[in-house]
Amino acid sequence: MPFPVHVRSNPDKPALIMAGTGETRTYDDLDTASVRLARHLHSQGLRPGDGLAAMLVNEPAFFEVFWAAMRSGLVITPVNSHLAADEIEYILRDSGAKAFIVSSDLLDVASRAAAAVPACGVRLVVGARAERGFASFSAALAAESSDPLDHEPLGDFMNYSSGTTGRPKGVRRPSPPGQTFADAGVLEPLLAGLYGIDEQSVYLSPAPLYHSAPLAFSTGAMALGGTVVVMERFDPEAALAAIERHGVTHSQWVPTMFVRLLRLSDEVRSAHDLSSMRVAIHAAAPCPPKVKDAMLAWWGPILNEYYGATELNCMTHAPSEAWVSHPGTVGRPVLGTLHICGDDGEELPIGAPGLVYSELPQAPFEYHGDPEKTASTRHPQHPTWTTVGDVGYVDADGYLYLTDRKAFMIISGGVNIYPQEIEHVLIDHPNVADVAVFGLPNEEMGEEVKAVVELRDGVDPSPELGEELRTFARAALAGYKVPRTVDFVAQLPRLETGKLYKAALRDEYLRELSRAAAPEC
């Protein structure tokens, strides 16, 4: 059922509880605030199809903004709160955002980015008075009526997913024309059918809401009438306390969070009653088998893994029993059809690894403003088959296993990091002649960012220079993209075509790590 149904049937029920502060919003609270914001944005000239960028920390306003966009036909783009000003500026400009709503803690970097994008003229700051070109969010809402707009077309959201070209691209997925805010969404039946989320559910979201899955699943739980508990930031012991305090029934995690939970002492882990938990969902990165086995031993067979992507409405599902009987799988398709293809585009036999394509019943996604990049995701003979570059295989029972990425994307803590973007920053340093960036295994984060640098003639390598390069990168990139370590080599390997032979370089590091980990005879 859509969100408005629960506003009418249970207006005083908590829709949102902030785990740290206990701050609560009822269904009526969120409805009223979203109506007022929708009216304000309409009064400022925004119309259905226009873009709204939101760079917010985990706070109640995130949901007020989301539901305002959904009830006024706007396209909301959540902006990663760790981005640098030039990265934010790019997204504002590329998305065509006409409004920008930010948290007060992020106002400094947001105002520097917005100053360069005059077309994004409607600017609101949450939790602060008007300053630096941003009007007060609370004052704007207070000045508006709580009567809904006469027409409430259903909005959409456009997340940005980085690509191997280094610049992120907005992902536009098709939506049926003519839908209104009162219509049911596509995700809710999946959440209800796969995970049993309903009006009695309490859903814990420990991750940043600017990621697509936490926002989509949290708002999906609200659309099904549940209560959503949001952590301001992830802390393993606080997460256990939140499960016990609020009687959490459903939750979603990434493997890095499992690692941190498992590092808690037995005393801390046993101090919290987790018996209310019925379903623990996880995705975003491959879960190490030993970590998953340990979580199953602790929480029992309530783990449910899925595979999807921002670009795809395709989804696989692997409940605990499926993973135990098919170790390493990310599940079988529950939405869309999978095709595993070789470099020639031909479908491969069972068990053979190849590029993973998904076939959807509706039109495939598009990268906003980039038809060439969009075309690169299509199968050459079947334009409704699309890929995001994952490599894997399907077994005889139809279960999918992911083995690699087509490009050298790094997944660290469940977040996608693309090396070329980092390389383009580091190559601008005056001492750098060439650079290669790739991911190496990290027990906690899954992967960490490694940079290997060829210096200009006459420049000597040193630990101090390595730290200087990391500082240089930090000035232009979000912190999680900054290389964990920097190595220096006399010359980087390049093919005759000039293409960096990164595979050989990374393989050399992996062999060295393997030798270091091997027991001595």
Side-chain angles (χ1 to χ4, degrees), residues 158-471:
M158 180 170 70
N159 288 85
Y160 269 68
S161 178
S162 294
T164 54
T165 57
R167 277 296 193 182
K169 287 296 176 186
V171 178
R172 292 303 306 266
R173 288 166 295 196
S175 55
Q179 279 194 312
T180 72
F181 187 50
D183 295 325
V186 175
L187 182 63
E188 287 78 50
L190 276 175
L191 298 185
L194 290 179
Y195 309 122
I197 297 177
D198 57 23
E199 294 180 357
Q200 306 306 314
S201 300
V202 179
Y203 177 86
L204 176 67
S205 183
L209 292 167
Y210 56 73
H211 288 308
S212 58
L215 183 60
F217 275 62
S218 294
T219 54
M222 286 182 182
L224 291 166
T227 295
V228 176
V229 179
V230 173
M231 298 187 71
E232 289 84 350
R233 60 190 58 81
F234 176 69
D235 175 84
E237 186 172 359
L240 300 182
I243 292 171
E244 180 178 20
R245 183 182 309 115
H246 299 289
V248 168
T249 60
H250 295 73
S251 56
Q252 183 165 188
W253 315 82
V254 298
T256 298
M257 294 176 179
F258 287 162
V259 171
R260 294 182 181 179
L261 286 164
L262 290 166
R263 286 182 177 175
L264 295 172
S265 68
D266 291 341
E267 182 180 6
V268 170
R269 287 163 55 177
S270 62
H272 299 282
D273 180 5
L274 310 182
S275 60
S276 62
M277 280 267 288
R278 301 203 308 270
V279 176
I281 306 161
H282 72 96
C287 188
K290 289 184 179 179
V291 171
K292 191 154 185 175
D293 285 340
M295 289 301 301
L296 285 168
W298 179 13
W299 285 5
I302 65 170
L303 269 62
N304 285 254
E305 186 169 0
Y306 74 88
Y307 161 71
T310 301
E311 291 89 336
L312 305 177
N313 284 327
C314 162
M315 185 176 178
T316 68
H317 175 232
S320 293
E321 57 270 21
W323 194 89
V324 170
S325 61
H326 297 76
T329 185
V330 294
R332 288 192 289 197
V334 293
L335 184 65
T337 303
L338 295 178
H339 302 276
I340 309 299
C341 299
D343 292 340
D344 58 0
E346 294 296 315
E347 288 198 71
L348 298 171
I350 288 172
L355 201 57
V356 180
Y357 284 89
S358 62
E359 180 184 6
L360 305 176
Q362 70 272 25
F365 74 92
E366 294 182 356
Y367 285 117
H368 177 65
D370 196 335
E372 183 178 344
K373 183 174 175 63
T374 300
S376 72
T377 68
R378 304 292 196 259
H379 189 281
Q381 285 83 45
H382 303 279
T384 60
W385 298 8
T386 59
T387 182
V388 292
D390 289 314
V391 174
Y393 65 93
V394 174
D395 68 13
D397 296 322
Y399 285 94
L400 175 66
Y401 301 76
L402 298 178
T403 57
D404 204 345
R405 293 277 177 155
K406 188 70 172 180
F408 287 95
M409 186 179 72
I410 302 165
I411 304 179
S412 182
V415 179
N416 295 346
I417 301 172
Y418 292 84
Q420 188 168 316
E421 181 183 10
I422 306 168
E423 292 165 356
H424 285 176
V425 170
L426 289 175
I427 199 67
D428 284 338
H429 190 280
N431 291 332
V432 174
D434 203 356
V435 58
V437 174
F438 47 87
L440 290 177
N442 179 285
E443 182 178 357
E444 178 180 353
M445 304 300 290
E447 288 186 299
E448 66 182 56
V449 181
K450 162 70 75 173
V452 181
V453 171
E454 179 182 333
L455 294 171
R456 292 183 182 273
D457 292 341
V459 180
D460 295 325
S462 68
E464 293 77 14
L465 181 53
E467 282 305 305
E468 180 181 329
L469 293 175
R470 295 181 71 244
T471 301

